[in-house]
Amino acid sequence: EKPTIYAITPTFARPVQKAELTRLYQTFLHIPNFHWIVVEDSEIKTKLVTRFFENSSIIYTHIAAATPPNYKLGRNDPNWKKPRGVEQRNAALRWLREYLKVTDRGIVYFADDDNTYSIKLFHEMEKIQKVGVWPVGLVGGLMVEKPICDNVTNKVIGFNAAWKPDRPFPLDMAGFAMNARLLLENKEAMFSYDVEGGYQESEILRHIVSRDELEPLADCCTKVYVWHTRTEPPQLNVEQLLIKKGKRSNVGIEV
Ligand code: UDP
Ligand code: MN
């Protein structure tokens, strides 16, 4: 029997939010045994996201968990300044630890709302025993950041990362998934505000797995099934003027 894939998606209100969620939703609909955990960076569950799920036909859990103000990025802060998604991913992990039974077969994946996912990625995840790893396109200053897989032994023997290559696990958040059982066995595994930028992946993985146990997927890490795309903020300069005149373009229309 196939494991359930739990995809954890932090999300926050911004003009492109509904577009991002729609794009992910329409990919995830293709995956059987899928459970989408969407965690809003907000004090409350917003109307937009609530309505989004009311009009959906996917198995989901909708949570609100706001990033504390002192950890929130300012509008003009460069995004390496503070970690994003920590509060939301930890809230999802707490939810999973309550919800999961030890006998459940599940895979946990951290699926940010702006990345691009191939359906093939989720088929790969079904093979995971402990922690599976694979290449991620368009990240870390490279076309592809990937574990280096020995095709004789099918073992991870290194990483090609160029950005902070000395990290214990030089992987992007989109580049691994884990057996849900490991969350129950390793209660201390979570994300933290007290680690250097780029070390969130290492922070959770160090509690769960050792480097030599990583399971290379996607044809010995030769295929790219996920891309670290980033959506350009839209130009809303005309809208700003309309707002001042009280004539927003989206009166009565959810965008
Ligand atoms: N995110 C959030 N609150 C924020 C900024 C980001 O919940 O204030 C979410 C975002 O929607 C995404 C994840 O955290 O799912 C990672 O953020 P982002 O994609 O900006 O990170 P990057 O691509 O730079 O790693
Ligand atoms: Mn992103």
Side-chain angles (χ1 to χ4, degrees), residues 177-205:
M178 63 182 85
N179 190 318
R181 177 176 49 82
L182 298 175
L183 289 180
L184 301 180
E185 290 173 1
N186 303 283
K187 299 276 187 203
E188 66 290 10
M190 57 179 134
F191 299 97
S192 168
Y193 290 108
D194 296 326
V195 300
E196 195 187 325
Y199 279 68
Q200 292 299 337
E201 297 84 354
S202 297
E203 179 57 25
I204 186 162
L205 286 171

PDB file of all heavy atoms in Angstrom, residues 177-205:
ATOM      1  N   ALA A 177      12.803  14.456   1.614  1.00  0.00           N
ATOM      2  CA  ALA A 177      11.563  14.123   2.327  1.00  0.00           C
ATOM      3  C   ALA A 177      11.879  12.968   3.255  1.00  0.00           C
ATOM      4  O   ALA A 177      12.878  12.255   3.060  1.00  0.00           O
ATOM      5  CB  ALA A 177      10.446  13.748   1.348  1.00  0.00           C
ATOM      6  N   MET A 178      11.043  12.808   4.281  1.00  0.00           N
ATOM      7  CA  MET A 178      11.371  11.814   5.304  1.00  0.00           C
ATOM      8  C   MET A 178      10.177  10.935   5.637  1.00  0.00           C
ATOM      9  O   MET A 178       9.023  11.317   5.447  1.00  0.00           O
ATOM     10  CB  MET A 178      11.835  12.527   6.570  1.00  0.00           C
ATOM     11  CG  MET A 178      10.756  13.399   7.193  1.00  0.00           C
ATOM     12  SD  MET A 178      11.355  14.258   8.646  1.00  0.00           S
ATOM     13  CE  MET A 178      12.107  15.672   7.873  1.00  0.00           C
ATOM     14  N   ASN A 179      10.502   9.783   6.148  1.00  0.00           N
ATOM     15  CA  ASN A 179       9.485   8.888   6.680  1.00  0.00           C
ATOM     16  C   ASN A 179       8.854   9.551   7.912  1.00  0.00           C
ATOM     17  O   ASN A 179       9.562   9.995   8.820  1.00  0.00           O
ATOM     18  CB  ASN A 179      10.142   7.564   7.069  1.00  0.00           C
ATOM     19  CG  ASN A 179       9.128   6.496   7.399  1.00  0.00           C
ATOM     20  OD1 ASN A 179       8.133   6.761   8.076  1.00  0.00           O
ATOM     21  ND2 ASN A 179       9.387   5.286   6.923  1.00  0.00           N
ATOM     22  N   ALA A 180       7.528   9.618   7.942  1.00  0.00           N
ATOM     23  CA  ALA A 180       6.824  10.291   9.040  1.00  0.00           C
ATOM     24  C   ALA A 180       7.122   9.654  10.396  1.00  0.00           C
ATOM     25  O   ALA A 180       7.128  10.331  11.427  1.00  0.00           O
ATOM     26  CB  ALA A 180       5.326  10.281   8.770  1.00  0.00           C
ATOM     27  N   ARG A 181       7.390   8.361  10.384  1.00  0.00           N
ATOM     28  CA  ARG A 181       7.718   7.641  11.615  1.00  0.00           C
ATOM     29  C   ARG A 181       8.889   8.292  12.354  1.00  0.00           C
ATOM     30  O   ARG A 181       8.928   8.336  13.591  1.00  0.00           O
ATOM     31  CB  ARG A 181       8.058   6.184  11.252  1.00  0.00           C
ATOM     32  CG  ARG A 181       8.493   5.288  12.382  1.00  0.00           C
ATOM     33  CD  ARG A 181       8.711   3.851  11.877  1.00  0.00           C
ATOM     34  NE  ARG A 181       9.538   3.782  10.665  1.00  0.00           N
ATOM     35  CZ  ARG A 181      10.870   3.816  10.659  1.00  0.00           C
ATOM     36  NH1 ARG A 181      11.545   3.904  11.783  1.00  0.00           N
ATOM     37  NH2 ARG A 181      11.528   3.737   9.515  1.00  0.00           N
ATOM     38  N   LEU A 182       9.845   8.834  11.598  1.00  0.00           N
ATOM     39  CA  LEU A 182      11.028   9.438  12.208  1.00  0.00           C
ATOM     40  C   LEU A 182      10.688  10.679  13.023  1.00  0.00           C
ATOM     41  O   LEU A 182      11.416  11.059  13.935  1.00  0.00           O
ATOM     42  CB  LEU A 182      12.065   9.777  11.131  1.00  0.00           C
ATOM     43  CG  LEU A 182      12.602   8.566  10.363  1.00  0.00           C
ATOM     44  CD1 LEU A 182      13.526   9.026   9.241  1.00  0.00           C
ATOM     45  CD2 LEU A 182      13.345   7.628  11.300  1.00  0.00           C
ATOM     46  N   LEU A 183       9.566  11.321  12.691  1.00  0.00           N
ATOM     47  CA  LEU A 183       9.136  12.481  13.482  1.00  0.00           C
ATOM     48  C   LEU A 183       8.659  12.035  14.857  1.00  0.00           C
ATOM     49  O   LEU A 183       8.854  12.736  15.854  1.00  0.00           O
ATOM     50  CB  LEU A 183       7.996  13.211  12.778  1.00  0.00           C
ATOM     51  CG  LEU A 183       8.342  13.987  11.516  1.00  0.00           C
ATOM     52  CD1 LEU A 183       7.077  14.639  10.970  1.00  0.00           C
ATOM     53  CD2 LEU A 183       9.402  15.043  11.794  1.00  0.00           C
ATOM     54  N   LEU A 184       8.029  10.868  14.885  1.00  0.00           N
ATOM     55  CA  LEU A 184       7.535  10.351  16.175  1.00  0.00           C
ATOM     56  C   LEU A 184       8.689   9.808  17.004  1.00  0.00           C
ATOM     57  O   LEU A 184       8.674   9.896  18.234  1.00  0.00           O
ATOM     58  CB  LEU A 184       6.486   9.258  15.933  1.00  0.00           C
ATOM     59  CG  LEU A 184       5.249   9.701  15.119  1.00  0.00           C
ATOM     60  CD1 LEU A 184       4.277   8.534  14.944  1.00  0.00           C
ATOM     61  CD2 LEU A 184       4.548  10.874  15.779  1.00  0.00           C
ATOM     62  N   GLU A 185       9.688   9.277  16.335  1.00  0.00           N
ATOM     63  CA  GLU A 185      10.832   8.698  17.053  1.00  0.00           C
ATOM     64  C   GLU A 185      11.826   9.763  17.506  1.00  0.00           C
ATOM     65  O   GLU A 185      12.639   9.514  18.384  1.00  0.00           O
ATOM     66  CB  GLU A 185      11.550   7.680  16.147  1.00  0.00           C
ATOM     67  CG  GLU A 185      10.721   6.427  15.917  1.00  0.00           C
ATOM     68  CD  GLU A 185      11.344   5.494  14.884  1.00  0.00           C
ATOM     69  OE1 GLU A 185      12.443   5.820  14.345  1.00  0.00           O
ATOM     70  OE2 GLU A 185      10.725   4.449  14.606  1.00  0.00           O
ATOM     71  N   ASN A 186      11.801  10.920  16.848  1.00  0.00           N
ATOM     72  CA  ASN A 186      12.762  11.985  17.164  1.00  0.00           C
ATOM     73  C   ASN A 186      12.003  13.273  17.452  1.00  0.00           C
ATOM     74  O   ASN A 186      11.919  14.171  16.617  1.00  0.00           O
ATOM     75  CB  ASN A 186      13.740  12.185  16.000  1.00  0.00           C
ATOM     76  CG  ASN A 186      14.479  10.911  15.648  1.00  0.00           C
ATOM     77  OD1 ASN A 186      15.408  10.515  16.336  1.00  0.00           O
ATOM     78  ND2 ASN A 186      14.041  10.250  14.585  1.00  0.00           N
ATOM     79  N   LYS A 187      11.466  13.357  18.656  1.00  0.00           N
ATOM     80  CA  LYS A 187      10.567  14.470  19.011  1.00  0.00           C
ATOM     81  C   LYS A 187      11.263  15.825  18.990  1.00  0.00           C
ATOM     82  O   LYS A 187      10.609  16.866  18.912  1.00  0.00           O
ATOM     83  CB  LYS A 187       9.988  14.231  20.414  1.00  0.00           C
ATOM     84  CG  LYS A 187       9.172  12.959  20.543  1.00  0.00           C
ATOM     85  CD  LYS A 187       7.738  13.172  20.091  1.00  0.00           C
ATOM     86  CE  LYS A 187       6.896  11.945  20.393  1.00  0.00           C
ATOM     87  NZ  LYS A 187       5.702  11.847  19.544  1.00  0.00           N
ATOM     88  N   GLU A 188      12.592  15.827  19.114  1.00  0.00           N
ATOM     89  CA  GLU A 188      13.301  17.105  19.175  1.00  0.00           C
ATOM     90  C   GLU A 188      13.592  17.663  17.778  1.00  0.00           C
ATOM     91  O   GLU A 188      14.056  18.788  17.641  1.00  0.00           O
ATOM     92  CB  GLU A 188      14.590  16.964  20.001  1.00  0.00           C
ATOM     93  CG  GLU A 188      15.689  16.069  19.424  1.00  0.00           C
ATOM     94  CD  GLU A 188      15.374  14.562  19.417  1.00  0.00           C
ATOM     95  OE1 GLU A 188      14.222  14.158  19.676  1.00  0.00           O
ATOM     96  OE2 GLU A 188      16.284  13.790  19.104  1.00  0.00           O
ATOM     97  N   ALA A 189      13.286  16.889  16.750  1.00  0.00           N
ATOM     98  CA  ALA A 189      13.559  17.344  15.381  1.00  0.00           C
ATOM     99  C   ALA A 189      12.576  18.430  14.965  1.00  0.00           C
ATOM    100  O   ALA A 189      11.374  18.187  14.856  1.00  0.00           O
ATOM    101  CB  ALA A 189      13.469  16.163  14.412  1.00  0.00           C
ATOM    102  N   MET A 190      13.081  19.656  14.782  1.00  0.00           N
ATOM    103  CA  MET A 190      12.247  20.765  14.293  1.00  0.00           C
ATOM    104  C   MET A 190      13.142  21.891  13.803  1.00  0.00           C
ATOM    105  O   MET A 190      14.357  21.762  13.782  1.00  0.00           O
ATOM    106  CB  MET A 190      11.279  21.225  15.374  1.00  0.00           C
ATOM    107  CG  MET A 190      11.906  21.647  16.663  1.00  0.00           C
ATOM    108  SD  MET A 190      10.576  22.174  17.747  1.00  0.00           S
ATOM    109  CE  MET A 190      11.025  21.346  19.228  1.00  0.00           C
ATOM    110  N   PHE A 191      12.502  22.980  13.412  1.00  0.00           N
ATOM    111  CA  PHE A 191      13.237  24.130  12.898  1.00  0.00           C
ATOM    112  C   PHE A 191      13.492  25.108  14.027  1.00  0.00           C
ATOM    113  O   PHE A 191      12.848  25.039  15.086  1.00  0.00           O
ATOM    114  CB  PHE A 191      12.464  24.757  11.743  1.00  0.00           C
ATOM    115  CG  PHE A 191      12.295  23.786  10.606  1.00  0.00           C
ATOM    116  CD1 PHE A 191      11.127  23.047  10.457  1.00  0.00           C
ATOM    117  CD2 PHE A 191      13.342  23.552   9.720  1.00  0.00           C
ATOM    118  CE1 PHE A 191      10.991  22.115   9.435  1.00  0.00           C
ATOM    119  CE2 PHE A 191      13.214  22.624   8.693  1.00  0.00           C
ATOM    120  CZ  PHE A 191      12.039  21.904   8.549  1.00  0.00           C
ATOM    121  N   SER A 192      14.448  26.019  13.831  1.00  0.00           N
ATOM    122  CA  SER A 192      14.889  26.884  14.923  1.00  0.00           C
ATOM    123  C   SER A 192      15.246  28.281  14.426  1.00  0.00           C
ATOM    124  O   SER A 192      15.782  28.435  13.325  1.00  0.00           O
ATOM    125  CB  SER A 192      16.111  26.245  15.585  1.00  0.00           C
ATOM    126  OG  SER A 192      16.738  27.163  16.446  1.00  0.00           O
ATOM    127  N   TYR A 193      14.951  29.278  15.250  1.00  0.00           N
ATOM    128  CA  TYR A 193      15.365  30.655  14.944  1.00  0.00           C
ATOM    129  C   TYR A 193      16.835  30.881  15.292  1.00  0.00           C
ATOM    130  O   TYR A 193      17.406  31.895  14.942  1.00  0.00           O
ATOM    131  CB  TYR A 193      14.499  31.647  15.724  1.00  0.00           C
ATOM    132  CG  TYR A 193      13.074  31.705  15.235  1.00  0.00           C
ATOM    133  CD1 TYR A 193      12.038  31.166  15.983  1.00  0.00           C
ATOM    134  CD2 TYR A 193      12.770  32.304  14.011  1.00  0.00           C
ATOM    135  CE1 TYR A 193      10.731  31.222  15.534  1.00  0.00           C
ATOM    136  CE2 TYR A 193      11.461  32.353  13.549  1.00  0.00           C
ATOM    137  CZ  TYR A 193      10.447  31.816  14.322  1.00  0.00           C
ATOM    138  OH  TYR A 193       9.154  31.866  13.869  1.00  0.00           O
ATOM    139  N   ASP A 194      17.418  29.948  16.029  1.00  0.00           N
ATOM    140  CA  ASP A 194      18.769  30.159  16.553  1.00  0.00           C
ATOM    141  C   ASP A 194      19.859  29.552  15.688  1.00  0.00           C
ATOM    142  O   ASP A 194      20.919  29.202  16.194  1.00  0.00           O
ATOM    143  CB  ASP A 194      18.864  29.575  17.974  1.00  0.00           C
ATOM    144  CG  ASP A 194      17.952  30.318  18.929  1.00  0.00           C
ATOM    145  OD1 ASP A 194      17.783  31.541  18.737  1.00  0.00           O
ATOM    146  OD2 ASP A 194      17.400  29.675  19.841  1.00  0.00           O
ATOM    147  N   VAL A 195      19.585  29.359  14.403  1.00  0.00           N
ATOM    148  CA  VAL A 195      20.648  28.837  13.536  1.00  0.00           C
ATOM    149  C   VAL A 195      20.943  29.839  12.425  1.00  0.00           C
ATOM    150  O   VAL A 195      20.102  30.655  12.053  1.00  0.00           O
ATOM    151  CB  VAL A 195      20.299  27.441  12.951  1.00  0.00           C
ATOM    152  CG1 VAL A 195      20.089  26.425  14.059  1.00  0.00           C
ATOM    153  CG2 VAL A 195      19.095  27.504  12.029  1.00  0.00           C
ATOM    154  N   GLU A 196      22.154  29.757  11.928  1.00  0.00           N
ATOM    155  CA  GLU A 196      22.620  30.629  10.843  1.00  0.00           C
ATOM    156  C   GLU A 196      21.757  30.425   9.586  1.00  0.00           C
ATOM    157  O   GLU A 196      21.185  29.342   9.397  1.00  0.00           O
ATOM    158  CB  GLU A 196      24.073  30.210  10.547  1.00  0.00           C
ATOM    159  CG  GLU A 196      24.880  31.194   9.722  1.00  0.00           C
ATOM    160  CD  GLU A 196      26.250  30.602   9.354  1.00  0.00           C
ATOM    161  OE1 GLU A 196      26.816  29.858  10.196  1.00  0.00           O
ATOM    162  OE2 GLU A 196      26.720  30.867   8.236  1.00  0.00           O
ATOM    163  N   GLY A 197      21.689  31.458   8.758  1.00  0.00           N
ATOM    164  CA  GLY A 197      20.936  31.366   7.504  1.00  0.00           C
ATOM    165  C   GLY A 197      21.382  30.176   6.669  1.00  0.00           C
ATOM    166  O   GLY A 197      22.579  29.931   6.533  1.00  0.00           O
ATOM    167  N   GLY A 198      20.419  29.407   6.169  1.00  0.00           N
ATOM    168  CA  GLY A 198      20.754  28.261   5.317  1.00  0.00           C
ATOM    169  C   GLY A 198      20.930  26.962   6.087  1.00  0.00           C
ATOM    170  O   GLY A 198      21.192  25.917   5.493  1.00  0.00           O
ATOM    171  N   TYR A 199      20.802  27.049   7.413  1.00  0.00           N
ATOM    172  CA  TYR A 199      21.031  25.843   8.223  1.00  0.00           C
ATOM    173  C   TYR A 199      19.739  25.183   8.716  1.00  0.00           C
ATOM    174  O   TYR A 199      19.785  24.275   9.532  1.00  0.00           O
ATOM    175  CB  TYR A 199      21.958  26.168   9.411  1.00  0.00           C
ATOM    176  CG  TYR A 199      23.420  26.198   9.022  1.00  0.00           C
ATOM    177  CD1 TYR A 199      23.916  27.201   8.180  1.00  0.00           C
ATOM    178  CD2 TYR A 199      24.309  25.218   9.463  1.00  0.00           C
ATOM    179  CE1 TYR A 199      25.254  27.230   7.804  1.00  0.00           C
ATOM    180  CE2 TYR A 199      25.649  25.241   9.093  1.00  0.00           C
ATOM    181  CZ  TYR A 199      26.115  26.246   8.275  1.00  0.00           C
ATOM    182  OH  TYR A 199      27.439  26.257   7.907  1.00  0.00           O
ATOM    183  N   GLN A 200      18.569  25.631   8.229  1.00  0.00           N
ATOM    184  CA  GLN A 200      17.318  25.021   8.694  1.00  0.00           C
ATOM    185  C   GLN A 200      17.232  23.535   8.305  1.00  0.00           C
ATOM    186  O   GLN A 200      16.804  22.698   9.099  1.00  0.00           O
ATOM    187  CB  GLN A 200      16.104  25.768   8.122  1.00  0.00           C
ATOM    188  CG  GLN A 200      15.918  27.181   8.657  1.00  0.00           C
ATOM    189  CD  GLN A 200      15.695  27.261  10.159  1.00  0.00           C
ATOM    190  OE1 GLN A 200      15.265  26.304  10.792  1.00  0.00           O
ATOM    191  NE2 GLN A 200      16.005  28.408  10.739  1.00  0.00           N
ATOM    192  N   GLU A 201      17.630  23.237   7.083  1.00  0.00           N
ATOM    193  CA  GLU A 201      17.567  21.844   6.610  1.00  0.00           C
ATOM    194  C   GLU A 201      18.461  20.964   7.482  1.00  0.00           C
ATOM    195  O   GLU A 201      18.069  19.870   7.909  1.00  0.00           O
ATOM    196  CB  GLU A 201      18.003  21.757   5.137  1.00  0.00           C
ATOM    197  CG  GLU A 201      17.097  22.520   4.165  1.00  0.00           C
ATOM    198  CD  GLU A 201      17.417  24.008   4.038  1.00  0.00           C
ATOM    199  OE1 GLU A 201      18.281  24.512   4.799  1.00  0.00           O
ATOM    200  OE2 GLU A 201      16.814  24.668   3.166  1.00  0.00           O
ATOM    201  N   SER A 202      19.682  21.472   7.754  1.00  0.00           N
ATOM    202  CA  SER A 202      20.614  20.714   8.598  1.00  0.00           C
ATOM    203  C   SER A 202      20.076  20.572  10.009  1.00  0.00           C
ATOM    204  O   SER A 202      20.268  19.539  10.665  1.00  0.00           O
ATOM    205  CB  SER A 202      21.974  21.419   8.639  1.00  0.00           C
ATOM    206  OG  SER A 202      22.551  21.458   7.341  1.00  0.00           O
ATOM    207  N   GLU A 203      19.392  21.616  10.478  1.00  0.00           N
ATOM    208  CA  GLU A 203      18.868  21.625  11.845  1.00  0.00           C
ATOM    209  C   GLU A 203      17.874  20.483  12.066  1.00  0.00           C
ATOM    210  O   GLU A 203      17.968  19.750  13.052  1.00  0.00           O
ATOM    211  CB  GLU A 203      18.214  22.981  12.129  1.00  0.00           C
ATOM    212  CG  GLU A 203      17.616  23.119  13.507  1.00  0.00           C
ATOM    213  CD  GLU A 203      18.603  22.864  14.645  1.00  0.00           C
ATOM    214  OE1 GLU A 203      19.824  23.035  14.447  1.00  0.00           O
ATOM    215  OE2 GLU A 203      18.145  22.457  15.740  1.00  0.00           O
ATOM    216  N   ILE A 204      16.953  20.300  11.148  1.00  0.00           N
ATOM    217  CA  ILE A 204      15.995  19.202  11.361  1.00  0.00           C
ATOM    218  C   ILE A 204      16.636  17.843  11.051  1.00  0.00           C
ATOM    219  O   ILE A 204      16.455  16.881  11.793  1.00  0.00           O
ATOM    220  CB  ILE A 204      14.675  19.412  10.575  1.00  0.00           C
ATOM    221  CG1 ILE A 204      13.678  18.317  10.975  1.00  0.00           C
ATOM    222  CG2 ILE A 204      14.876  19.456   9.056  1.00  0.00           C
ATOM    223  CD1 ILE A 204      12.248  18.627  10.645  1.00  0.00           C
ATOM    224  N   LEU A 205      17.433  17.789   9.994  1.00  0.00           N
ATOM    225  CA  LEU A 205      17.952  16.481   9.558  1.00  0.00           C
ATOM    226  C   LEU A 205      18.948  15.881  10.547  1.00  0.00           C
ATOM    227  O   LEU A 205      19.033  14.665  10.702  1.00  0.00           O
ATOM    228  CB  LEU A 205      18.581  16.605   8.165  1.00  0.00           C
ATOM    229  CG  LEU A 205      17.565  16.735   7.023  1.00  0.00           C
ATOM    230  CD1 LEU A 205      18.275  17.073   5.707  1.00  0.00           C
ATOM    231  CD2 LEU A 205      16.737  15.455   6.866  1.00  0.00           C
TER     232      LEU A 205
END
